[in-house]
């Protein structure tokens, strides 16, 4: 019934994605340890479906082209049709790591292990994962094809927006965020 409907689009419970508890922080540290990422290293995180429309391949390709310091790691969290291809292609690269899909209860710890969250979708109505990462205090790199980009990201303040089909633009934004 109409009186039972409540409009609540594109929101997350910010407190739920903050990592305030010791358990959350310990789990984040264990994720890093399992991936052999030291406490002082920097983590760029993608969390979502590993499929063409989400475009995680542009992140892995650009990560290598950006030639960031050896202490910067890329962590891809999720499963999907591109998973095997990406894992096979980057298996030998020590700076690129893969984790399976994580239950929503563990996502605050996943975000906590990261320094920067990237969403590279070629088509995304909003991008709630950006809200979640921001609730956890993370800097953002988001494609201009994500509905949230223009509303949530202020270039140079809390992250950067990049052209979804431009490796060069994403590379420049990665270099900017890791040198600033």
């Amino acid at each position: 019934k109409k009186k039972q409907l409540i409009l609540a689009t594109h929101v997350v419970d910010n407190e739920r994605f903050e990592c305030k508890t010791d358990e959350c922080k310990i789990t984040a540290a264990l994720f890093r340890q399992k991936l052999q990422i030291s406490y002082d290293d920097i983590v760029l995180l993608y969390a979502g479906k590993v499929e063409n429309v989400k475009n995680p391949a542009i992140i892995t390709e650009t990560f290598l082209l950006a030639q960031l310091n050896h202490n910067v790691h890329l962590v891809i969290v999720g499963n999907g049709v591109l998973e095997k291809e990406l894992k096979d292609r980057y298996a030998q690269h020590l700076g690129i790591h893969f984790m399976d899909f994580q239950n929503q209860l563990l996502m605050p710890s996943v975000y906590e292990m990261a320094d920067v969250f990237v969403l590279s979708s070629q088509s995304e109505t909003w991008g709630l994962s950006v809200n979640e990462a921001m609730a956890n205090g993370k800097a953002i790199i988001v494609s201009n094809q994500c509905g949230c980009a223009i509303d949530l990201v202020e270039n140079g303040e809390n992250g950067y927006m990049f052209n979804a089909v431009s490796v060069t633009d994403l590379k420049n934004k990665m270099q900017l965020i890791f040198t600033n």
Side-chain angles (χ1 to χ4, degrees), residues 15 60 67 91 131 144 165 179:
E15 288 184 18
T60 52
Q67 298 181 345
N131 293 68
N144 62 344
V165 296
T179 56

Side-chain angles (χ1 to χ4, degrees), residues 57-84:
I58 196 173
I59 302 170
T60 52
E61 177 184 347
T62 306
F63 179 77
L64 295 178
L65 289 173
Q67 298 181 345
L68 304 168
N69 291 333
H70 68 280
N71 68 328
V72 179
H73 299 262
L74 171 61
V75 177
I76 307 275
V77 178
N79 300 107
V81 296
L82 295 177
E83 180 182 358
K84 182 178 178 351

Side-chain angles (χ1 to χ4, degrees), residues 4-13 126 128 131:
Q4 294 173 305
L5 298 176
I6 299 170
L7 180 62
T9 58
H10 309 307
V11 298
V12 299
D13 179 354
W126 184 256
L128 286 174
N131 293 68

Side-chain angles (χ1 to χ4, degrees), residues 141-159:
I141 300 176
V142 63
S143 89
N144 62 344
Q145 296 303 303
C146 295
C148 69
I150 197 162
D151 289 327
L152 296 181
V153 177
E154 294 184 36
N155 282 320
E157 294 295 320
N158 63 345

Side-chain angles (χ1 to χ4, degrees), residues 78-139:
N79 300 107
V81 296
L82 295 177
E83 180 182 358
K84 182 178 178 351
E85 176 187 334
L86 292 177
K87 284 180 176 178
D88 289 347
R89 186 181 308 161
Y90 299 105
Q92 301 304 315
H93 195 284
L94 299 176
I96 299 178
H97 312 272
F98 294 89
M99 291 175 57
D100 286 331
F101 166 85
Q102 299 296 309
N103 182 288
Q104 280 292 306
L105 295 174
L106 290 174
M107 287 309 294
S109 295
V110 170
Y111 292 123
E112 181 67 18
M113 81 165 159
D115 298 285
V116 178
F117 180 76
V118 61
L119 184 59
S120 53
S121 297
Q122 295 176 343
S123 175
E124 188 84 42
T125 305
W126 184 256
L128 286 174
S129 57
V130 172
N131 293 68
E132 295 168 359
M134 289 178 72
N136 195 273
K138 303 307 162 192

